[in-house]
Amino acid sequence: AALAVAQQQLTTTAAAAAACLSLPPLFVTPLALLVILNNLGQLHYALDNKDRGQKCYRQLQSTVMFLLLSKNKSGNADDHADSHHASSSSSTHRGSKDLQVFMENAVLGLQTMTTRATAPAA
């Protein structure tokens, strides 16, 4: 049940990202969505818009967790983070590494924004 809800959220987020970019919804792959969320979080951070930046990084974390859960649940070697890779152990390793990097970026982004929000003004 939780996986179905997460999948619906991913579909909704992908459609919203596609709409922002004026692209058809099927164009946004999970990997492209991760890149978009990561970059939007960084842009909002640079513009000192912590609320929207945190929202992007939280969605990035949720999307990575969904992809990890679906990858583990399926039990196959397909790279769910990037459908263009061939199904092989090297692409699976790369997909897992990509997901790890995006998760680290999300955690770091949220920590940085939280620290920035609570830091005393100089």
Side-chain angles (χ1 to χ4, degrees):
L3 189 58
V5 170
Q7 189 170 15
Q8 179 60 37
Q9 288 176 336
L10 177 62
T11 303
T12 302
T13 304
C20 289
L21 298 171
S22 299
L23 300 171
L26 296 176
F27 182 82
V28 180
T29 65
L31 182 59
L33 179 60
L34 294 176
V35 170
I36 291 166
L37 289 169
N38 187 68
N39 290 348
L40 282 173
Q42 184 61 33
L43 286 170
H44 284 298
Y45 171 78
L47 295 172
D48 202 25
N49 188 349
K50 67 178 190 239
D51 292 335
R52 286 190 177 177
Q54 287 176 345
K55 185 175 181 180
C56 290
Y57 284 124
R58 279 192 215 104
Q59 186 62 48
L60 178 61
Q61 277 184 313
S62 296
T63 304
V64 170
M65 289 305 296
F66 166 75
L67 292 171
L68 288 171
L69 286 171
S70 64
K71 186 174 186 175
N72 289 338
K73 187 170 181 133
S74 69
N76 63 26
D78 290 341
D79 183 9
H80 291 281
D82 187 353
S83 61
H84 299 295
H85 281 28
S87 179
S88 69
S89 60
S90 63
S91 70
T92 301
H93 176 71
R94 171 150 186 245
S96 297
K97 183 70 173 167
D98 288 346
L99 292 177
Q100 179 183 355
V101 169
F102 281 112
M103 182 58 88
E104 289 170 1
N105 285 351
V107 170
L108 181 61
L110 285 169
Q111 287 174 346
T112 303
M113 288 191 169
T114 303
T115 303
R116 186 178 193 182
T118 59

